[in-house]
Structure formats: C-alpha cells, structure tokens
Amino acid sequence: QVQLVDSGGDSVQAGGSLRLSCAVSGATISSVCIGWWRQAPGQAREGVTLTDTRGRTTYRGSVQGRFTISRDDAKNTLYLQMNDLKPEDTAVYYCAAQNLANALCKVTIASLYFENWGQGTQVTVSS
C-alpha cells in the first residue's frame, strides 16, 4: 500500500519561501507519476506540479518560475520549493502519486486519476 506523508507547511509573508516534503513508502517515487496539488477554501483541488518517471516536470502557469519540484530517490522523498510566495498561493497542499503513463502525467489531468494522497499541509501567505 502506498503511503504519502506531507510536511513543511507554515504561515509566511508574501515574498517568502517554504519547502514542502513528501515521504513515500510502498512505491518507488521514480517509478510513478507524482506531484503536488492544492486546494484553497471554497475552490476545487488543482494540480500545481507533477514529475513523471523520466523526471520531466509540468507546472501550473501561475507558479512557473517560482516553484520547483524535485525528488531524492535515495530517500524516496518528493519536495516542493516555493519561492516568492503570494497570498493566492494560500491553500492546503497535497502530495499525490499514481502509476500513470508519462503522457498523462501533466498538471492538466484530473485529480480523480490519483488514488494515493498525503494528508495535506497548510500553507498560508499573508500580504
């Protein structure tokens, strides 16, 4: 069974940085489509960034250039470095993984394709 444990959320001021972590067990992160989603109050869950089995990445346009996804295969851990945070980045961030074909591993894919989710970590950005 795949288990994902998110951590690293916090409250920061606009312009600040945070790094989220996702510890994965039950699967090798380099063999799955894995990434980060977020959900703000009253809004639908949206894909932020994903990385496929070849290490290729896709990003939501609003975070391009500010967020960076990375993985440590030795630790089986996924990271999300978030810089220049904005109030609109405020949300609960979730790590999610699924055994998808690389062609489907893009941020535009629906969340229903992902069966494995972390518990979420809150990121709050104040202006």
Side-chain angles (χ1 to χ4, degrees), residues 4-34:
L4 309 173
V5 179
D6 313 314
S7 63
D10 205 343
S11 296
V12 297
Q13 292 197 331
S17 298
L18 284 174
R19 189 177 81 154
L20 306 184
S21 299
C22 174
V24 180
S25 59
T28 303
I29 62 171
S30 60
S31 66
V32 295
C33 171
I34 188 168

PDB file of all heavy atoms in Angstrom, residues 4-34:
ATOM      1  N   LEU A   4       1.755   8.319   1.680  1.00  0.00           N
ATOM      2  CA  LEU A   4       2.406   9.600   1.439  1.00  0.00           C
ATOM      3  C   LEU A   4       2.221  10.463   2.677  1.00  0.00           C
ATOM      4  O   LEU A   4       1.092  10.612   3.167  1.00  0.00           O
ATOM      5  CB  LEU A   4       1.778  10.303   0.233  1.00  0.00           C
ATOM      6  CG  LEU A   4       1.646   9.481  -1.054  1.00  0.00           C
ATOM      7  CD1 LEU A   4       0.850  10.247  -2.101  1.00  0.00           C
ATOM      8  CD2 LEU A   4       3.016   9.131  -1.589  1.00  0.00           C
ATOM      9  N   VAL A   5       3.290  11.052   3.172  1.00  0.00           N
ATOM     10  CA  VAL A   5       3.221  11.914   4.343  1.00  0.00           C
ATOM     11  C   VAL A   5       3.792  13.279   3.982  1.00  0.00           C
ATOM     12  O   VAL A   5       4.991  13.438   3.761  1.00  0.00           O
ATOM     13  CB  VAL A   5       4.000  11.303   5.529  1.00  0.00           C
ATOM     14  CG1 VAL A   5       3.929  12.229   6.736  1.00  0.00           C
ATOM     15  CG2 VAL A   5       3.441   9.929   5.883  1.00  0.00           C
ATOM     16  N   ASP A   6       2.875  14.261   3.934  1.00  0.00           N
ATOM     17  CA  ASP A   6       3.267  15.630   3.606  1.00  0.00           C
ATOM     18  C   ASP A   6       3.752  16.357   4.855  1.00  0.00           C
ATOM     19  O   ASP A   6       3.226  16.127   5.950  1.00  0.00           O
ATOM     20  CB  ASP A   6       2.066  16.435   3.110  1.00  0.00           C
ATOM     21  CG  ASP A   6       1.241  15.722   2.073  1.00  0.00           C
ATOM     22  OD1 ASP A   6       1.830  15.158   1.139  1.00  0.00           O
ATOM     23  OD2 ASP A   6       0.000  15.732   2.214  1.00  0.00           O
ATOM     24  N   SER A   7       4.638  17.309   4.657  1.00  0.00           N
ATOM     25  CA  SER A   7       5.044  18.169   5.768  1.00  0.00           C
ATOM     26  C   SER A   7       5.670  19.447   5.213  1.00  0.00           C
ATOM     27  O   SER A   7       5.978  19.520   4.020  1.00  0.00           O
ATOM     28  CB  SER A   7       6.043  17.444   6.675  1.00  0.00           C
ATOM     29  OG  SER A   7       7.226  17.133   5.972  1.00  0.00           O
ATOM     30  N   GLY A   8       5.855  20.424   6.085  1.00  0.00           N
ATOM     31  CA  GLY A   8       6.565  21.639   5.716  1.00  0.00           C
ATOM     32  C   GLY A   8       5.707  22.879   5.572  1.00  0.00           C
ATOM     33  O   GLY A   8       6.235  23.977   5.388  1.00  0.00           O
ATOM     34  N   GLY A   9       4.387  22.735   5.661  1.00  0.00           N
ATOM     35  CA  GLY A   9       3.535  23.900   5.548  1.00  0.00           C
ATOM     36  C   GLY A   9       3.720  24.845   6.729  1.00  0.00           C
ATOM     37  O   GLY A   9       4.079  24.429   7.831  1.00  0.00           O
ATOM     38  N   ASP A  10       3.437  26.125   6.484  1.00  0.00           N
ATOM     39  CA  ASP A  10       3.625  27.127   7.529  1.00  0.00           C
ATOM     40  C   ASP A  10       2.930  28.409   7.100  1.00  0.00           C
ATOM     41  O   ASP A  10       2.342  28.478   6.003  1.00  0.00           O
ATOM     42  CB  ASP A  10       5.117  27.377   7.759  1.00  0.00           C
ATOM     43  CG  ASP A  10       5.427  27.894   9.147  1.00  0.00           C
ATOM     44  OD1 ASP A  10       4.484  28.375   9.833  1.00  0.00           O
ATOM     45  OD2 ASP A  10       6.600  27.846   9.551  1.00  0.00           O
ATOM     46  N   SER A  11       2.991  29.416   7.956  1.00  0.00           N
ATOM     47  CA  SER A  11       2.488  30.741   7.632  1.00  0.00           C
ATOM     48  C   SER A  11       3.675  31.641   7.350  1.00  0.00           C
ATOM     49  O   SER A  11       4.603  31.725   8.160  1.00  0.00           O
ATOM     50  CB  SER A  11       1.676  31.302   8.800  1.00  0.00           C
ATOM     51  OG  SER A  11       0.531  30.520   9.038  1.00  0.00           O
ATOM     52  N   VAL A  12       3.633  32.315   6.206  1.00  0.00           N
ATOM     53  CA  VAL A  12       4.718  33.209   5.813  1.00  0.00           C
ATOM     54  C   VAL A  12       4.138  34.483   5.235  1.00  0.00           C
ATOM     55  O   VAL A  12       2.957  34.523   4.863  1.00  0.00           O
ATOM     56  CB  VAL A  12       5.659  32.561   4.776  1.00  0.00           C
ATOM     57  CG1 VAL A  12       6.345  31.332   5.347  1.00  0.00           C
ATOM     58  CG2 VAL A  12       4.916  32.224   3.497  1.00  0.00           C
ATOM     59  N   GLN A  13       4.964  35.487   5.126  1.00  0.00           N
ATOM     60  CA  GLN A  13       4.544  36.721   4.477  1.00  0.00           C
ATOM     61  C   GLN A  13       4.813  36.631   2.975  1.00  0.00           C
ATOM     62  O   GLN A  13       5.653  35.850   2.521  1.00  0.00           O
ATOM     63  CB  GLN A  13       5.278  37.908   5.082  1.00  0.00           C
ATOM     64  CG  GLN A  13       4.878  38.187   6.521  1.00  0.00           C
ATOM     65  CD  GLN A  13       5.277  39.576   6.973  1.00  0.00           C
ATOM     66  OE1 GLN A  13       6.265  40.137   6.494  1.00  0.00           O
ATOM     67  NE2 GLN A  13       4.509  40.141   7.895  1.00  0.00           N
ATOM     68  N   ALA A  14       4.093  37.437   2.246  1.00  0.00           N
ATOM     69  CA  ALA A  14       4.283  37.486   0.798  1.00  0.00           C
ATOM     70  C   ALA A  14       5.751  37.757   0.476  1.00  0.00           C
ATOM     71  O   ALA A  14       6.405  38.568   1.138  1.00  0.00           O
ATOM     72  CB  ALA A  14       3.402  38.567   0.189  1.00  0.00           C
ATOM     73  N   GLY A  15       6.234  37.031  -0.546  1.00  0.00           N
ATOM     74  CA  GLY A  15       7.640  37.136  -0.906  1.00  0.00           C
ATOM     75  C   GLY A  15       8.527  36.111  -0.235  1.00  0.00           C
ATOM     76  O   GLY A  15       9.692  35.958  -0.616  1.00  0.00           O
ATOM     77  N   GLY A  16       7.988  35.425   0.750  1.00  0.00           N
ATOM     78  CA  GLY A  16       8.762  34.431   1.474  1.00  0.00           C
ATOM     79  C   GLY A  16       8.858  33.107   0.739  1.00  0.00           C
ATOM     80  O   GLY A  16       8.332  32.949  -0.363  1.00  0.00           O
ATOM     81  N   SER A  17       9.537  32.161   1.379  1.00  0.00           N
ATOM     82  CA  SER A  17       9.771  30.850   0.785  1.00  0.00           C
ATOM     83  C   SER A  17       9.424  29.741   1.769  1.00  0.00           C
ATOM     84  O   SER A  17       9.504  29.930   2.993  1.00  0.00           O
ATOM     85  CB  SER A  17      11.248  30.709   0.380  1.00  0.00           C
ATOM     86  OG  SER A  17      11.605  31.657  -0.594  1.00  0.00           O
ATOM     87  N   LEU A  18       9.058  28.604   1.224  1.00  0.00           N
ATOM     88  CA  LEU A  18       8.828  27.394   2.004  1.00  0.00           C
ATOM     89  C   LEU A  18       9.262  26.200   1.175  1.00  0.00           C
ATOM     90  O   LEU A  18       9.247  26.257  -0.069  1.00  0.00           O
ATOM     91  CB  LEU A  18       7.343  27.228   2.348  1.00  0.00           C
ATOM     92  CG  LEU A  18       6.734  28.087   3.437  1.00  0.00           C
ATOM     93  CD1 LEU A  18       5.233  27.852   3.505  1.00  0.00           C
ATOM     94  CD2 LEU A  18       7.369  27.796   4.788  1.00  0.00           C
ATOM     95  N   ARG A  19       9.601  25.114   1.857  1.00  0.00           N
ATOM     96  CA  ARG A  19       9.862  23.857   1.176  1.00  0.00           C
ATOM     97  C   ARG A  19       8.991  22.773   1.789  1.00  0.00           C
ATOM     98  O   ARG A  19       9.072  22.511   2.997  1.00  0.00           O
ATOM     99  CB  ARG A  19      11.328  23.442   1.262  1.00  0.00           C
ATOM    100  CG  ARG A  19      11.637  22.249   0.352  1.00  0.00           C
ATOM    101  CD  ARG A  19      13.094  21.848   0.348  1.00  0.00           C
ATOM    102  NE  ARG A  19      13.457  21.030   1.489  1.00  0.00           N
ATOM    103  CZ  ARG A  19      14.466  20.168   1.505  1.00  0.00           C
ATOM    104  NH1 ARG A  19      15.207  20.016   0.416  1.00  0.00           N
ATOM    105  NH2 ARG A  19      14.752  19.489   2.607  1.00  0.00           N
ATOM    106  N   LEU A  20       8.185  22.176   0.950  1.00  0.00           N
ATOM    107  CA  LEU A  20       7.341  21.069   1.380  1.00  0.00           C
ATOM    108  C   LEU A  20       8.041  19.747   1.080  1.00  0.00           C
ATOM    109  O   LEU A  20       8.803  19.650   0.118  1.00  0.00           O
ATOM    110  CB  LEU A  20       5.993  21.102   0.653  1.00  0.00           C
ATOM    111  CG  LEU A  20       5.195  22.398   0.735  1.00  0.00           C
ATOM    112  CD1 LEU A  20       3.855  22.223   0.039  1.00  0.00           C
ATOM    113  CD2 LEU A  20       5.017  22.854   2.166  1.00  0.00           C
ATOM    114  N   SER A  21       7.747  18.761   1.905  1.00  0.00           N
ATOM    115  CA  SER A  21       8.310  17.428   1.714  1.00  0.00           C
ATOM    116  C   SER A  21       7.198  16.398   1.675  1.00  0.00           C
ATOM    117  O   SER A  21       6.152  16.576   2.307  1.00  0.00           O
ATOM    118  CB  SER A  21       9.269  17.082   2.866  1.00  0.00           C
ATOM    119  OG  SER A  21      10.345  17.985   2.924  1.00  0.00           O
ATOM    120  N   CYS A  22       7.450  15.320   0.951  1.00  0.00           N
ATOM    121  CA  CYS A  22       6.501  14.213   0.878  1.00  0.00           C
ATOM    122  C   CYS A  22       7.292  12.913   0.968  1.00  0.00           C
ATOM    123  O   CYS A  22       8.007  12.551   0.020  1.00  0.00           O
ATOM    124  CB  CYS A  22       5.707  14.264  -0.420  1.00  0.00           C
ATOM    125  SG  CYS A  22       4.631  12.839  -0.695  1.00  0.00           S
ATOM    126  N   ALA A  23       7.185  12.261   2.102  1.00  0.00           N
ATOM    127  CA  ALA A  23       7.863  10.983   2.294  1.00  0.00           C
ATOM    128  C   ALA A  23       6.963   9.866   1.773  1.00  0.00           C
ATOM    129  O   ALA A  23       5.797   9.785   2.154  1.00  0.00           O
ATOM    130  CB  ALA A  23       8.173  10.765   3.765  1.00  0.00           C
ATOM    131  N   VAL A  24       7.514   9.032   0.913  1.00  0.00           N
ATOM    132  CA  VAL A  24       6.725   8.000   0.233  1.00  0.00           C
ATOM    133  C   VAL A  24       7.181   6.614   0.683  1.00  0.00           C
ATOM    134  O   VAL A  24       8.377   6.335   0.761  1.00  0.00           O
ATOM    135  CB  VAL A  24       6.876   8.118  -1.288  1.00  0.00           C
ATOM    136  CG1 VAL A  24       6.056   7.038  -2.000  1.00  0.00           C
ATOM    137  CG2 VAL A  24       6.465   9.504  -1.757  1.00  0.00           C
ATOM    138  N   SER A  25       6.215   5.761   0.952  1.00  0.00           N
ATOM    139  CA  SER A  25       6.502   4.354   1.232  1.00  0.00           C
ATOM    140  C   SER A  25       5.530   3.496   0.434  1.00  0.00           C
ATOM    141  O   SER A  25       4.434   3.935   0.096  1.00  0.00           O
ATOM    142  CB  SER A  25       6.387   4.051   2.727  1.00  0.00           C
ATOM    143  OG  SER A  25       5.087   4.348   3.195  1.00  0.00           O
ATOM    144  N   GLY A  26       5.945   2.281   0.125  1.00  0.00           N
ATOM    145  CA  GLY A  26       5.093   1.380  -0.638  1.00  0.00           C
ATOM    146  C   GLY A  26       5.221   1.531  -2.139  1.00  0.00           C
ATOM    147  O   GLY A  26       4.564   0.796  -2.891  1.00  0.00           O
ATOM    148  N   ALA A  27       6.006   2.469  -2.593  1.00  0.00           N
ATOM    149  CA  ALA A  27       6.263   2.672  -4.022  1.00  0.00           C
ATOM    150  C   ALA A  27       7.575   3.410  -4.172  1.00  0.00           C
ATOM    151  O   ALA A  27       7.979   4.148  -3.269  1.00  0.00           O
ATOM    152  CB  ALA A  27       5.143   3.464  -4.680  1.00  0.00           C
ATOM    153  N   THR A  28       8.208   3.214  -5.308  1.00  0.00           N
ATOM    154  CA  THR A  28       9.433   3.948  -5.614  1.00  0.00           C
ATOM    155  C   THR A  28       9.054   5.186  -6.395  1.00  0.00           C
ATOM    156  O   THR A  28       8.410   5.088  -7.442  1.00  0.00           O
ATOM    157  CB  THR A  28      10.380   3.063  -6.450  1.00  0.00           C
ATOM    158  OG1 THR A  28      10.650   1.863  -5.726  1.00  0.00           O
ATOM    159  CG2 THR A  28      11.676   3.801  -6.743  1.00  0.00           C
ATOM    160  N   ILE A  29       9.442   6.360  -5.884  1.00  0.00           N
ATOM    161  CA  ILE A  29       8.925   7.595  -6.480  1.00  0.00           C
ATOM    162  C   ILE A  29       9.382   7.778  -7.915  1.00  0.00           C
ATOM    163  O   ILE A  29       8.728   8.457  -8.699  1.00  0.00           O
ATOM    164  CB  ILE A  29       9.306   8.840  -5.643  1.00  0.00           C
ATOM    165  CG1 ILE A  29      10.816   9.021  -5.563  1.00  0.00           C
ATOM    166  CG2 ILE A  29       8.693   8.753  -4.262  1.00  0.00           C
ATOM    167  CD1 ILE A  29      11.216  10.344  -4.929  1.00  0.00           C
ATOM    168  N   SER A  30      10.486   7.154  -8.288  1.00  0.00           N
ATOM    169  CA  SER A  30      10.962   7.294  -9.659  1.00  0.00           C
ATOM    170  C   SER A  30      10.175   6.420 -10.637  1.00  0.00           C
ATOM    171  O   SER A  30      10.386   6.507 -11.841  1.00  0.00           O
ATOM    172  CB  SER A  30      12.447   6.947  -9.743  1.00  0.00           C
ATOM    173  OG  SER A  30      12.665   5.612  -9.328  1.00  0.00           O
ATOM    174  N   SER A  31       9.268   5.604 -10.132  1.00  0.00           N
ATOM    175  CA  SER A  31       8.505   4.705 -10.989  1.00  0.00           C
ATOM    176  C   SER A  31       7.037   5.101 -11.120  1.00  0.00           C
ATOM    177  O   SER A  31       6.241   4.350 -11.699  1.00  0.00           O
ATOM    178  CB  SER A  31       8.586   3.264 -10.455  1.00  0.00           C
ATOM    179  OG  SER A  31       7.932   3.169  -9.199  1.00  0.00           O
ATOM    180  N   VAL A  32       6.699   6.262 -10.576  1.00  0.00           N
ATOM    181  CA  VAL A  32       5.305   6.712 -10.631  1.00  0.00           C
ATOM    182  C   VAL A  32       5.232   8.172 -11.047  1.00  0.00           C
ATOM    183  O   VAL A  32       6.208   8.917 -10.972  1.00  0.00           O
ATOM    184  CB  VAL A  32       4.589   6.544  -9.268  1.00  0.00           C
ATOM    185  CG1 VAL A  32       4.476   5.084  -8.886  1.00  0.00           C
ATOM    186  CG2 VAL A  32       5.300   7.341  -8.179  1.00  0.00           C
ATOM    187  N   CYS A  33       4.048   8.568 -11.476  1.00  0.00           N
ATOM    188  CA  CYS A  33       3.738   9.978 -11.677  1.00  0.00           C
ATOM    189  C   CYS A  33       3.427  10.544 -10.303  1.00  0.00           C
ATOM    190  O   CYS A  33       2.547  10.024  -9.598  1.00  0.00           O
ATOM    191  CB  CYS A  33       2.532  10.104 -12.596  1.00  0.00           C
ATOM    192  SG  CYS A  33       1.873  11.775 -12.730  1.00  0.00           S
ATOM    193  N   ILE A  34       4.116  11.577  -9.903  1.00  0.00           N
ATOM    194  CA  ILE A  34       3.946  12.087  -8.543  1.00  0.00           C
ATOM    195  C   ILE A  34       4.091  13.595  -8.550  1.00  0.00           C
ATOM    196  O   ILE A  34       4.817  14.166  -9.374  1.00  0.00           O
ATOM    197  CB  ILE A  34       4.983  11.432  -7.592  1.00  0.00           C
ATOM    198  CG1 ILE A  34       4.700  11.792  -6.128  1.00  0.00           C
ATOM    199  CG2 ILE A  34       6.411  11.801  -7.998  1.00  0.00           C
ATOM    200  CD1 ILE A  34       5.489  10.962  -5.137  1.00  0.00           C
TER     201      ILE A  34
END
